[in-house]
């Protein structure tokens, strides 16, 4: 078998794809061969909990000891409390492998990165990452030629990782929108990535667990989207530029908390607590207590930026 070695920030699914191309076969054949488990190619292997036998088999064939380094499971406990493997994740793009399924925008990319080294980066599946920090541009989540989602793994075997599944367009030639180094998009993305990597954040001399903030941010984004008459049910379906805008806007709303947020809610007539907390109103466990208590009593002042 022709081997490929993973890049340190590569997604496992991308590595498997490259191995299948290096061996002139399909992704399904190669997953059957490596893991000895049928149907695995239909699953989201970046979030798949491998069995001991499967891990042994990968180690033997690919000589990779720590396969989890290339998966997204390591973010459990940081970005979400746990993953429902079959359902949607709050901050990780949804992967779907049904034929011609146009509903899912699970693959995001930077054309310049793909051009430099054709593999998929782990960060591209995190919805808090919407900007390429190396090339200072927004990521893309659809083909600029036919506007369809990026389908992956690509089952047309003559196609490369940088080809659009539907029209064959070379995604490396996509144009991007440049962002200024001092832009709020970059600033906010850095703040959130730091919080994700540490697993906590500091507010008024106290430390708080990162999950709570990500939980809250998702809830605020929904409210801001509602005000902007955005009806997308899943934030994956927004263009990365647009999502970055909503994330930044929501984080800024928390500045000088709760005054700025209250003003915004008042102005946009979001005054009913049931609307504000949306479907989370019965699951307040993960919402940070500084937010909940201030929503009721207007007490704490925050500084983020
Ligand atoms: Zn890039
Ligand atoms: Zn296309």
């Amino acid at each position: 078998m022709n081997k490929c070695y993973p890049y340190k920030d590569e997604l496992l699914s991308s590595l498997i794809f490259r191995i299948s191309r290096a061996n002139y076969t399909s992704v399904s054949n190669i997953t059957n061969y490596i893991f000895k488990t049928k149907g695995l190619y239909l699953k989201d292997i970046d979030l798949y909990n491998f069995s001991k036998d499967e891990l042994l088999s990968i180690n033997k064939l690919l000589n990779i000891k720590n396969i989890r380094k290339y998966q997204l499971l390591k973010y459990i406990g940081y970005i979400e409390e746990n993953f429902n493997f079959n359902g949607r994740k709050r901050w990780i793009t949804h992967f779907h492998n049904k034929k011609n399924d146009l509903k899912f925008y699970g693959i995001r990319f930077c054309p310049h990165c793909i051009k430099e080294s054709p593999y998929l980066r782990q960060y591209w599946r995190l919805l808090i990452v919407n900007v390429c920090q190396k090339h200072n541009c927004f990521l893309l989540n659809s083909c600029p030629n036919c506007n369809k989602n990026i389908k992956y793994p690509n089952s047309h075997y003559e196609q490369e990782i940088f080809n659009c599944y539907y029209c064959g367009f070379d995604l490396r030639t996509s144009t991007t929108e440049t962002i200024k180094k001092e832009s709020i998009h970059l600033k906010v993305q850095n703040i959130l990535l730091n919080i994700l990597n540490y697993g906590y954040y500091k507010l008024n001399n106290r430390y708080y667990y990162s999950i709570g903030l990500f939980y809250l941010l998702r809830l605020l984004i929904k409210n801001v989207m509602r005000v902007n008459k955005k009806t997308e049910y899943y934030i994956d379906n927004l263009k990365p530029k647009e999502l970055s805008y909503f994330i930044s806007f929501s984080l800024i709303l928390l500045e000088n908390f709760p005054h700025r947020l209250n003003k915004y809610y008042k102005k946009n007539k979001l005054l009913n607590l049931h609307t504000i907390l949306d479907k989370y109103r019965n699951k307040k466990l993960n919402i940070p207590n500084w937010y909940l208590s201030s929503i009721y009593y207007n007490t704490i002042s925050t500084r983020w930026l």
Side-chain angles (χ1 to χ4, degrees):
M1 182 169 126
N2 298 317
K3 286 184 185 169
C4 295
Y5 294 95
Y7 295 89
K8 68 175 192 334
D9 58 342
E10 183 169 16
L11 282 167
L12 178 61
S13 54
S14 166
L15 174 68
I16 300 292
F17 176 89
R18 291 195 298 117
I19 294 172
S20 75
R21 289 303 181 267
N23 289 282
Y24 309 99
T25 187
S26 65
V27 170
S28 55
N29 282 340
I30 216 76
T31 52
N32 288 348
Y33 180 73
I34 297 175
F35 304 106
K36 319 276 182 266
T37 307
K38 287 232 156 63
L40 208 59
Y41 74 101
L42 290 168
K43 300 216 158 97
D44 185 349
I45 62 168
D46 298 325
L47 285 172
Y48 182 76
N49 210 353
F50 288 108
S51 70
K52 257 195 186 142
D53 287 346
E54 286 163 343
L55 290 174
L56 277 174
S57 180
I58 304 166
N59 193 3
K60 205 170 118 201
L61 282 166
L62 301 178
N63 198 20
I64 302 175
K65 287 199 179 65
N66 190 0
I67 202 82
R68 296 233 157 107
K69 253 173 59 190
Y70 307 101
Q71 288 188 289
L72 301 169
L73 290 167
K74 60 186 167 207
Y75 294 114
I76 289 183
Y78 291 82
I79 204 160
E80 306 205 12
E81 63 284 15
N82 54 47
F83 289 131
N84 166 6
F85 287 99
N86 298 315
R88 284 276 182 163
K89 287 86 196 159
R90 234 172 280 129
W91 285 107
I92 292 187
T93 60
H94 191 71
F95 169 93
H96 213 262
N97 199 21
K98 273 192 188 146
K99 250 203 163 136
N100 298 327
D101 205 326
L102 293 168
K103 283 198 304 266
F104 300 99
Y105 289 80
I107 305 295
R108 308 146 108 240
F109 66 100
C110 164
H112 314 292
C113 283
I114 293 257
K115 198 171 175 180
E116 281 174 16
S117 321
Y119 69 94
L120 303 179
R121 277 67 168 174
Q122 293 168 12
Y123 272 175
W124 293 348
R125 284 197 65 190
L126 298 183
L127 288 160
I128 56 168
V129 176
N130 294 287
V131 170
C132 172
Q133 284 174 308
K134 192 173 180 193
H135 299 103
N136 289 325
C137 64
F138 288 110
L139 300 181
L140 303 174
N141 68 347
S142 58
C143 165
N145 189 49
C146 68
N147 287 324
K148 290 183 177 144
N149 59 356
I150 308 299
K151 187 176 150 40
Y152 181 84
N154 197 328
S155 46
H156 296 321
Y157 184 99
E158 68 287 358
Q159 287 188 340
E160 300 286 343
I161 207 161
F162 47 76
N163 287 126
C164 166
Y165 170 83
Y166 300 100
C167 73
F169 181 76
D170 185 335
L171 299 166
R172 294 172 302 180
T173 63
S174 316
T175 48
T176 52
E177 189 178 333
T178 312
I179 301 165
K180 286 195 183 118
K181 278 212 166 76
E182 62 280 10
S183 117
I184 186 79
H185 296 280
L186 270 167
K187 208 170 170 181
V188 164
Q189 182 166 305
N190 274 327
I191 290 173
L192 294 178
L193 279 175
N194 277 334
I195 294 173
L196 176 65
N197 290 326
Y198 287 122
Y200 59 82
Y201 59 98
K202 202 174 173 183
L203 203 67
N204 303 329
N205 292 320
R206 281 190 169 205
Y207 290 101
Y208 293 90
Y209 201 27
S210 58
I211 289 174
L213 181 73
F214 289 119
Y215 206 84
L216 169 64
L217 205 55
R218 192 60 207 266
L219 189 151
L220 292 177
I221 289 168
K222 274 282 166 195
N223 290 331
V224 174
M225 281 173 69
R226 193 178 295 146
V227 169
N228 285 277
K229 300 198 167 40
K230 277 275 156 197
T231 50
E232 279 85 355
Y233 193 70
Y234 298 114
I235 59 172
D236 317 31
N237 292 2
L238 295 169
K239 297 259 175 228
K241 181 186 174 181
E242 209 170 15
L243 179 57
S244 177
Y245 169 78
F246 286 129
I247 292 174
S248 308
F249 190 90
S250 304
L251 202 64
I252 291 168
L253 278 182
L254 289 175
E255 263 208 305
N256 194 17
F257 182 78
H259 310 293
R260 186 176 287 187
L261 187 69
N262 282 348
K263 217 164 124 190
Y264 180 80
Y265 279 167
K266 216 174 201 167
K267 186 178 148 210
N268 295 292
K269 301 193 170 63
L270 278 161
L271 296 169
N272 178 330
L273 211 62
H274 281 202
T275 322
I276 291 172
L277 296 180
D278 196 36
K279 63 179 177 190
Y280 299 103
R281 63 181 176 269
N282 300 321
K283 287 197 292 179
K284 289 184 197 142
L285 192 70
N286 282 315
I287 301 175
N289 59 359
W290 56 262
Y291 177 81
L292 281 179
S293 64
S294 301
I295 282 288
Y296 292 112
Y297 309 113
N298 281 5
T299 48
I300 306 172
S301 168
T302 59
R303 265 190 84 79
W304 289 98
L305 303 164

